[in-house]
Amino acid sequence: MLATLFKKPAKFTGGIKLPERKSLSNGAELRIAPLPAQLIHPLGQHIGKAAKACVAVGDRVLRNQPIALGDGLISADVHAASSGTVSAIESRPIAHASGLLAPCIVIDCDQEDEATEPAPHGNDFLSLSSDELRGRIRSAGIVGMGGAAFPAAVKLNARGRAIDTLILNGAECESYITCDDMLARTQADEIIRSIPIFRHILGVPNLPVIVALEDHMQQAIAELRAALEKSGLRRVEIRAVPSIYPEGGEKQLIQTLTGLEVPTGGLPLDIGLVCQNIGTAAAVFRAIVHGEPLTSRIVTVTGEAVQQPGNYEVRLGSKVADIVAAAGGYKVGKPARLIMGGAMMGFALKTDDVPIVKGSNCVLVAAAEEVRPTDSTMPCIRCGECAEVCPASLLPQQLYWHARGDEFDKAKNLNLFDCIECGACAQACPSHIPLVQYYRYAKAEIWAEEREKAKSDAARERHEFRLERVEREEREKLERQKQRQAALAASKKPDAASSSASNGAASDPVKAALAKAAAAKAKASDSGGAMSAIEKAKATAKQRQADAAGTSATAEVAKPASAAAAAIAKAKAAATATDSDESRESALTPAQKAIAAAKLKARKAAGNSAESPTAQHEAVETAQQTPAQLAIEKARAAARQKETSEVASASPAEDKPAKKSLTPAELAILKAKAAVKKSQQPSAPSAESKPAKKSLSPAELAILKAKAAAKKADKELSTPDAASATKSPAQLAIERAKAAAKAAQQGNGE
Amino acid sequence: MSILVAVLALAGLALVFGVILGWSSVRFKVEGDPIVEQIDALLPQTQCGQCTFPGCRPYATAIANGEADINQCPPGGEATIHNLADLLGVEPKPLNPENGVEKDLPMLAIIREDECIGCTKCIQACPVDAILGAAKQMHTVINDECTGCELCVEPCPVDCIDMVPVKTTLENWRWSQPPGPVSLRGPVKEPVTAELK
Ligand code: SF4
Ligand code: SF4
Ligand code: SF4
Ligand code: SF4
C-alpha cells in the first residue's frame, strides 16, 4: 500500500477540462456575513433520518445549543447558529431540487449572539476512546461538508476493517467554487491538527495521510505545507492533483491518488481507505479541541449577477437572500438562474428564501450568458463524446436512450447506479442534451418502483396475516362455545356421570360422549327445537370431525365425536323404551341381547324397505310392540341413558318433531348405531372407536356402525357360553344383522 | 437365461431410477403453484376486490386457471396488464371498464377523527389491517400501510372516511423526465439543472 502512495499519480478514466471561473470569487479575502434577523434550521440537513426537535416554540436558545437531536444511527444533531427565540417549528421551503417544504426550526435572532458553555473539549483527546470521540463528533452535528452531507461519525467508524490511508479531500474541481480553497488558506492549521484526531479515532497512530488539492490552489498548498511543518507530523503528504473535472469525486480522487478502484456499490472503506473533506476535518478539529458544534461554514457566493462575489463565513440557517445581500445584492434585477451548488452538480432554486445548510458550498447567481438555455436540446448524434468523458466508464448515450424510453431495467444493467451524476457527459454533449436529468429521472423511477414493490409485499403479508387471524378467531370461538357446552353438561349431571362411572363398563370417551349428547340436547331444547336433536348432534359431530381434521393434535376428539352421535341415537332409542323394561333387561344374557338387537334391526330394515317413508310412525310402533326386545336392545345404554332420556322427556315438544322428521332409513341407522354401542360396550369399546378416529361424515359413520354391529353380534355369538346355548338363533341373528347393515347402507344411500 | 439377465438388469435399473425419481419428487417438491405466485407477485396487492375476486391472490389463481382475463385490475392499470401479458405470453389489452378505471394518483384513506364514532366497521373491512382503533374509541389509518383500496369508505355509518391523494414528500418526490427534442411524454416544463454554456 505504501508503494502505491509514492507511485506516480494515476489518472482516473474520462474527465473533462472545465472553464474554471474561480477567479471570480477567490480573489477577495474571506468575509463574514452579518448575523441575519432570522435563522431557519431544517431538521434534515444530512443523509439519513431527520433529527427530532428538542426545543419548543417560544424557547430562548443560545448559540451552539442543540435544538434537534439525531434520530437513529445515521443522523446528526442540529444546533442553533445564534441566540434568539424559537418562533416557529414548521414546514418551510428548503434547498432541494423539488422545491418542496420540509420541517424547520425558525429562530428569531436577538443579535446578542450569546453562546452556551462549550461542550467538553481539549487537546487531551488521546485519553478518550475512539467511540467517545465519534460520539462528540456526532453531537457536534458534523456531516460531510463537501456536499454529500453524510454524518462524519458514521464514516469514521472503521467497523473492524484495517485502514491503511486517510485522504483529506480539498480537490475542489467544480468551476466557480472556491470555499475549500479559502478554507485551506485561512484554516490550514486546523486542517493539519485534525490529523492526530482522525488517526486516534481510526486506531492507527501512524496512519499515512494524503491531503489532496488541485494544482491551481498554490496559496492553499503553501499554507498547508507551512502548517504541516509547524505541527511536526510525519507521514503526511500534501499532494497537488491535476485540475480536471471531476477530480474531487471521492472515487476519482482515490483512483488518482492510489490507483485503486472502489468496487461497484462499495465504499472506500472496503479497500482500506477513509476519505474526508477538508472542511469536515476543520469542523472535527473545532468540535474536539474547542467544543464547538457546527454552526457556520464558508460559502462561495459567485456568478456574474452578484455584486461582490467572494467567500463568506455564513451562519447555518441564513437565507440565500441574506447572503446575497451580504455580497452586495443582485446586479441587475432578477438573475437568470439561482443555483445551489456548482454549475455542474448544483440545482436551480425556485426562491432565495431557502436556508444555507451544512452541505451548502456555493450559491451561484448566474447571469443569462452563463447558463445554457433549456430549450437548446437537439437530437443525439451518437458522437460518443459523452462516453469519452465519463469518469465512471459508463455508456451515457445508451443510458440516455433507455432512460428516455423508460427502459429502466436495461439502464440498471448498464450500471446506471455507478453514475455519480457529475454532468461531465452533459457538458461534453454537442447536442446539449441534459443527460444527468435523464439519469436522475431513471434512478428516481427505479427507487419508486422498489418502494412500491416493498409496499405491495408488505400489503400481501398483512393481508395473509389478516386472513389467518380471522380464521383463527373463528376457530377459537367455536372451541370456546364447545367448552362452554361441555362445562354446562358436566354441571347439569354430576350424579349421572358418577352413576355411569359406577357402571364400571363405561370408559371415558363414552362418558364424554354422553355429556356431549346431553349438551347437544340441552342446546336443542334451548333453541326451541327447530332443528331435530339428532341433526344437532350430527352437526356437533361434524364440527368436531372438522376440527379433528383441522388440528392433528386433536385427532382424539373424533372419538368422542362419533360416540356423541351414537349416544344421541341411543338416547333416542331409550326415549322410546319404557322404563319398566329395565328390570327385564338385566335378566337376559348378553347373547340373547345381541340376538334381540339383531332381530330388531332386521325388523327395522324390513319395515324400512317395505314401507313408504311416511310409515315411520309405524316403524316406531313396531319397536314399541316388542317392548321386551327393545328393552334388550337398550340394555347397556339404559343405565347411562336415564339422564339423557330425562332431558328428552323434559323437552317432549322438541323430541317429538325430531322423531317425526326421521326417515325410516335414518331410523335404521340409528338403531344400528344403538345396537353397535350396546353390543360393543361390554366387550371392547376401543375396538369400535378406532375407525371413528378417522374424520368421517355422520353418514359414513352410520354405515361403519352398522357393519360393526354385524361383526359384534358375530363376535358375541362366538363366545363360549352364548354359542353353546343358542347356536341356531345366533346364526339367524348374524344374518339379520347383516341384512340390517345392508339396509342401513341402502337407507343411507337414499 | 440371457433374457432373464436382461430383464433383471432392466428391472433393477427401473427400480434404481424409480427410487431416485421418487426421492427427488419428495426432496425437490415445489411448494404451491409457481405460476400463481408469479402472477400474484405482479399484482398491486391493493386487495380491493375490483377484479371481482376477493383479493389479489384469488385473482392470480383465477388467471392461472384461465378463469379470468388479465385486464381486470384497475389499481395495477396498464403497467400490470403489460407485465401480466409479458409473463403469460399473451397480447396486452386495455383495462376492462367494468372493473373500474385506473387512478392517476395513489390514494390514501383519512378518517376525520372528530367525527369517528368508534364503530369498528372500517377495521373489519380493511384487508390489510391498516386501521387502528377500538370500540367506541377514535379510529385512525396507518398511512404507510393503507393500500388505498376504498373498502373502508362504504361501511362507515357516519361517512367520516375520505380518500385523498398521497402527498408528495421529500422521500417520494421524483425527478421528472426532461423535455427531449421529441419527448415521448410530451414537453415537460421544469428546468432543473444548469449546464455551462
Ligand atoms: S453524469 Fe454519470 S454518465 Fe455522465 S459522465 Fe458523469 S458519471 Fe458518467
Ligand atoms: S455526447 Fe450527446 S450527442 Fe454525442 S453521443 Fe453522447 S448524448 Fe449523443
Ligand atoms: S383489482 Fe387488482 S388490486 Fe384489487 S384485488 Fe383485484 S388484483 Fe388486487
Ligand atoms: S384503510 Fe381503507 S383504503 Fe386503506 S387499506 Fe384499509 S380499507 Fe383500504
Side-chain angles (χ1 to χ4, degrees), chain B residues 43-57 59-60 72-76:
Chain B
L43 296 175
Q45 305 301 322
T46 307
Q47 315 290 2
C48 64
Q50 286 181 79
C51 51
T52 71
F53 294 90
C56 302
R57 210 189 158 82
Y59 179 45
Q72 300 186 3
C73 173

Side-chain angles (χ1 to χ4, degrees), chain A residues 97-98 337 339 343 348 372 374 403-404 406 427 437-438 440-441 445 448 451 455-456 460 462-463 466 469, chain B residues 40-41 44-45 124 126-129 144-146 171 173-175 177 180 182 184-185 191-195:
Chain A
S98 64
R337 202 174 291 170
I339 296 161
R372 187 187 270 173
T374 48
R404 232 186 88 186
D406 288 351
Q427 181 64 28
Q437 272 187 70
Y438 281 102
R440 286 174 173 164
Y441 159 74
E445 290 296 314
R451 273 199 306 271
K455 201 178 164 182
S456 79
R460 181 187 298 118
R462 286 179 79 88
H463 183 61
R466 181 193 154 85
R469 196 201 69 210
Chain B
D40 192 37
Q45 305 301 322
Q124 289 156 32
C126 179
V128 291
D129 287 341
D144 285 350
E145 308 292 358
C146 176
E171 282 74 44
W173 173 80
R174 313 181 198 177
W175 288 89
Q177 195 180 40
V182 274
L184 299 180
R185 295 193 159 188
V192 258
T193 40
E195 285 81 35

Side-chain angles (χ1 to χ4, degrees), chain B residues 34-197:
Chain B
I35 191 73
V36 173
E37 298 289 334
Q38 284 173 37
I39 296 173
D40 192 37
L42 294 179
L43 296 175
Q45 305 301 322
T46 307
Q47 315 290 2
C48 64
Q50 286 181 79
C51 51
T52 71
F53 294 90
C56 302
R57 210 189 158 82
Y59 179 45
T61 315
I63 294 178
N65 295 339
E67 293 155 9
D69 218 334
I70 59 168
N71 62 346
Q72 300 186 3
C73 173
E78 205 101 326
T80 297
I81 293 171
H82 266 271
N83 290 339
L84 286 175
D86 272 356
L87 176 72
L88 302 170
V90 296
E91 276 301 304
K93 47 178 97 175
L95 182 68
N96 187 344
E98 276 171 30
N99 295 96
V101 285
E102 187 179 356
K103 289 195 190 69
D104 300 337
L105 292 167
M107 303 293 267
L108 178 72
I110 299 280
I111 296 180
R112 290 198 299 277
E113 291 169 356
D114 43 344
E115 287 170 41
C116 172
I117 55 169
C119 66
T120 75
K121 287 205 161 62
C122 52
I123 294 192
Q124 289 156 32
C126 179
V128 291
D129 287 341
I131 301 180
L132 275 184
K136 305 226 171 65
Q137 306 287 318
M138 182 268 283
H139 286 43
T140 195
V141 176
I142 310 170
N143 293 1
D144 285 350
E145 308 292 358
C146 176
T147 64
C149 70
E150 296 187 12
L151 291 181
C152 55
V153 174
E154 216 270 314
C156 179
V158 290
D159 281 338
C160 70
I161 305 179
D162 297 324
M163 297 304 296
V164 298
V166 174
K167 265 219 210 99
T168 308
T169 63
L170 290 180
E171 282 74 44
N172 63 17
W173 173 80
R174 313 181 198 177
W175 288 89
S176 54
Q177 195 180 40
V182 274
S183 172
L184 299 180
R185 295 193 159 188
V188 184
K189 278 204 183 63
E190 208 177 33
V192 258
T193 40
E195 285 81 35
L196 288 179
K197 207 175 174 185

